[in-house]
Amino acid sequence: MKKHNFTLSAIRRGIFFLLILVSFALQFIILPKTALPVPLLLLIPVCVAVSMHENELYSLLWGLFAGILWDTASPVTDGLYALILPAAFLITGLLTGYVLRNTFLTASLFTALLSLIPSVLGIFYTKGKLTSELLASVIKAECIPAVITSLIILIPVYFFVSAIVRRFSYERA
Amino acid sequence: MKNFFSGTKFRICAAILTAMFLAVFISAVSESGASPVSSVLSYILTPAENLAVHISDALSDFNGYFVSSKSMEKQIEELESELNELRLQTVDYEKTKHKLEAYEDFLGVKEDNPDFSFVAGEIILRDTSDFYGSFTLNIGSDDGIFVNAPVIYSDNLVGVVASVSPKSCTVHTLFNPEISVSAYEIRTRESCYTESEYALSAEGFLKLSGLKKNTPVVSGGIVCTSGIGGIYPKDLIIGTVREIRNDVTGLSSFGLITPEIDYSKLSDVFVITDFEGKSDG
């Protein structure tokens, strides 16, 4: 029984691993070649959905994996993604495990908040004074499109991850 | 939640986060600018990313083949396979032609500047969340790349290497506010320098500062690197002047320039590793 449970967990986490890898490839290799008017932050909704279905430690580990991948494409941020994403997804896992219910609405809330991370880092790494004009243009051109596109992506991703968890969990088997 | 904070899981999480914090600290103070974790992983990830780029290219070719064969089926079935073969050959030909043109341009630059040493690099990753279009190349310190090495396409300056790991490097484009290039306008020879601001870069403009109040520089003028400072070689094209405006102080003018090439469409670039007048610092 224990062995069977282990196999199901391994399959589930193998699928999550592939899902994060595919999201990374889409976000940084394939989609930038297309003429999309807004950047798609696929890794954020995918990791939100995954971490909401995992325990705290695994939430942190998935965040770490995504953060390290993100840093290879954006090492100009001094490896900050590998620190921020594990912390953010640890909090996501903790809140979902102990305080909030695991629903699509909760996932939307986390996704909307975490989609702002790249824009906040962008402002942090922008040389010069932080003016209200700069902030307004960043919110208009970066934050709002990032939140909207991430929420749209979250819809299929959240239900896909939920289905995977239902299919490959011990209770179901 | 109390159980979590008093258990082993919390200690493991705290240890991982502390390690990542140390990695950020090391990255911030290191000369290469790359996180130690990214540097180590670049040995595994860069070949994998190269492979992903080639798979992505192959898939886009396959898609073109599939779509065209579908439409051909309806029209001339007997010539379908032959046509598709020709189409694939055309795709290959166009790709090779494009690459050849790029290399011919570089050859021209090399002939004009025999002191230049180049390393060719392919763009493997683009950080779409970066405001200024940074990208990652498949060459790194193992290929002789170093921080602040100029990156060019043909005789146009594209940007500068911002961080290096053994197998890859990240490039800041000229739109990044951290980059300021000493320049001159070729017709008037007036000295100036480029700067960047978020609002201007979002519209595709670079700021040309340091112009005199009644500058003779006019719209259409070509701006090139001056070579002062020893980071960038002299006479690389930065862009074309689109507009001249007066500074708010009224003591000087500034220009708005646009680069000659669209950075988002680049796939291959060259990194200059050595040139006459290069600063050793």
Side-chain angles (χ1 to χ4, degrees), chain B residues 134 185 215:
Chain B
S134 302
E185 198 273 325
T215 178

Side-chain angles (χ1 to χ4, degrees), chain B residues 1-2 7 11 18 32 51-52 67 75 83 87 91 105 115 118 126-127 131 135 173 175-176 185 201 227 263 266 279:
Chain B
M1 201 183 289
K2 247 181 188 175
R11 286 186 202 120
T18 310
S32 72
L51 181 70
V67 170
Q75 298 169 26
L83 272 172
R87 185 171 283 272
V91 170
D105 282 342
D115 56 310
F118 298 117
R126 276 185 192 276
D127 184 7
F131 296 171
F135 52 82
T173 64
F175 287 119
N176 196 300
E185 198 273 325
S201 68
Y263 299 155
L266 292 175
S279 153

Side-chain angles (χ1 to χ4, degrees), chain A residues 6 12 29 31 40 53 55 59-60 64 73 76 78 88 93 96 110 112 116-117 124 145 149 168:
Chain A
F6 176 79
R12 191 175 70 227
I29 300 170
L31 291 176
L40 294 182
H53 290 89
N55 66 34
S59 299
L60 176 131
L64 179 68
V76 282
D78 298 325
T96 318
F110 285 131
L116 300 176
I117 290 174
F124 181 71
T149 51
F168 297 104

Side-chain angles (χ1 to χ4, degrees), chain A residues 20-158:
Chain A
I20 292 174
L21 268 188
V22 168
S23 311
F24 170 75
L26 280 171
Q27 181 173 331
F28 291 100
I29 300 170
I30 298 161
L31 291 176
K33 287 182 183 173
T34 62
L36 283 174
V38 284
L40 294 182
L41 308 176
L42 287 161
L43 277 175
I44 299 282
V46 166
C47 286
V48 165
V50 168
S51 64
M52 285 181 72
H53 290 89
E54 287 280 19
N55 66 34
E56 312 82 28
L57 183 60
Y58 275 101
S59 299
L60 176 131
L61 291 175
W62 289 125
L64 179 68
F65 178 49
I68 289 170
L69 286 177
W70 201 315
D71 277 331
T72 61
S74 182
V76 282
T77 49
D78 298 325
L80 266 176
Y81 281 108
L83 174 66
I84 292 173
L85 293 191
F89 292 115
L90 169 67
I91 295 167
T92 308
L94 272 174
L95 287 175
T96 318
Y98 298 102
V99 183
L100 300 166
R101 284 177 63 203
N102 186 350
T103 62
F104 180 72
L105 194 69
T106 320
S108 307
L109 185 75
F110 285 131
T111 304
L113 280 173
L114 298 179
S115 303
L116 300 176
I117 290 174
S119 304
V120 173
L121 283 180
I123 293 171
F124 181 71
Y125 277 91
T126 292
K127 207 173 146 190
K129 226 167 70 179
L130 177 63
T131 59
S132 54
E133 287 87 9
L134 171 70
L135 208 58
S137 5
V138 170
I139 289 171
K140 193 180 152 196
E142 312 287 341
C143 299
I144 294 172
V147 170
I148 293 171
T149 51
S150 299
L151 287 176
I152 293 169
I153 294 160
L154 179 70
I155 301 168
V157 167
Y158 180 81

Side-chain angles (χ1 to χ4, degrees), chain B residues 103-118 274:
Chain B
Y103 277 84
E104 271 174 1
D105 282 342
F106 288 123
L107 185 65
V109 177
K110 180 71 186 166
E111 278 170 358
D112 292 342
N113 306 277
D115 56 310
F116 283 12
S117 295
F118 298 117
D274 198 19

